[in-house]
Amino acid sequence: MRQRASQPLGISHALPVSGGALDECGPQQHFRGMTNVDHRPTAAPMDALWMPFTNNRAFKAAPRLLASAHGMYYRDQDGREILDGVSGLWCVNAGHGRAPITAAIQEAAATLDFAPPFQMGHPLAFALAEQLSTWLPPGIDRIFFTNSGSEAVDTALKMALAYHRAVGEPARVRFVGRLRGYHGVGFGGISVGGIAPNRDTFAAQLLPHIDHLAHTHDPSRNAFSRGRPAFGAEFADDLERIVREHGAHTIAAVIVEPVAGSTGVLIPPVGYLERLRALCDQYGILLIFDEVITGFGRTGAAFGATTFGVRPDMMTLAKGITNGAVPMGAVCVDRKIHDAVVDHAAPGIEFFHGYTYSGHPLAAAAGLATLRLYEDEGLLARAATTAPLLERAAHALRGQPYVVDIRNIGMVAAIELAPRPGAPTARAQEVFLECFRRGVLVRQTGDTVAIAPPLIVSEAQIEQIMGTVGEVLGRIA
Ligand SMILES: Cc1ncc(COP(=O)(O)O)c(C=O)c1O
């Protein structure tokens, strides 16, 4: 090992945090119980870490380092409180440092650190799959674990191919995504995804046989909609164009996010998902909902499928499945898909796919504890009752400088800004940075500022998040 001139990060490991009930998540109490913790980096070298989806050079010139988290708050390396307006990265739906999840992870680590998932099993993974199946739309009750949303998406695409082969339609190899869609960063995910910068560098090696539906963002008709926009169900008919061009018999699956999150929170117009479902039924095409962001209360119910009353054939999940505490993803499929691939296969391994850490004991334990916490605290119901407060506070920003659209559903909202001439995305980036400086974490995506707080957020905290965004908008150029 090479010697380094400077010390490594001076981070000691946190002792388990105490508390975690909603009433303990206020700014005064939220670091109760954290003793002997010093997460402050000491002159840490930063060169070795190549950061994901980050402007590495700018970050390392002016780092933003988080040291601890509890309830609704992060604390940064200087001990400053940061109100979390985006659930970390759309994943910490029950708030940070929740004691039952921490305890479950600790117990799992002490009991069974690892179990091989190929040709072996362990009880927690089966228990989580059983439990999760009771949350899903009826009939979607076969679950395959992955470690991330990206892996869940690529797994789902493979399953779609395997299904069509199993039922005697091997010509169905084409996937249909949607412009502006985000489905993670695997080659499958970026191929069906529709965000140009995520694809451009890799364009020469994207999957073949991919098409994209038109996106649904139509501010000329729908700007400042509250909840589902009224206009745009007909965007689903774009699938007919692809069917005409290639023939339905070549199309394996359509994959969409019920609410497109990472591109800037695009809410499906009234009737759109229903129409997409009807067209997929008509043409024998599988419909995949990528619910990595929309799962676990974000849209005001368990899943986007629940909120919008449309049942897909497959769902991809991640993030909120473990409250962000341990990496995990899942593909949840209609039983007919599982049975076609598994029950009708020749003896032996039925599906040549899997990950060393599929259903890892720590992730499964975290998932079980998370589902229990969502239930015990009624967090999904709480999301539905808090949603109108978020809607009101978001739309109060209408009329602030540069605001060209505000969108919301459930516990997610977006403020879209006019791009600065010659410097698109710069305004929203400045809003993100200045909000952080003022102690509020929001997410910037393109020219949009996204807000998706943990479901435990209080009305006062919603006001603080939106109020800070509003103040900052008044100060940028
Ligand atoms: C809809 C959707 N799918 C997939 C992913 C990828 O998930 P991960 O970053 O866990 O790979 C994301 C991440 O934000 C997402 O929003």
Side-chain angles (χ1 to χ4, degrees), residues 144-162 288 314 316 330-331 333 351 353-355 358:
F144 191 104
F145 289 120
T146 68
N147 308 292
S148 67
S150 300
E151 290 178 356
V153 166
D154 281 22
T155 301
L157 298 178
K158 283 184 169 182
M159 284 175 170
L161 295 179
I288 306 171
M314 310 169 82
T316 47
V331 188
V333 307
F351 185 51
H353 180 77
Y355 303 95
S358 285

Side-chain angles (χ1 to χ4, degrees), residues 203-216:
Q205 297 295 353
L206 298 180
L207 294 189
H209 314 305
I210 302 284
D211 287 275
H212 290 86
L213 299 168
H215 65 71
T216 64

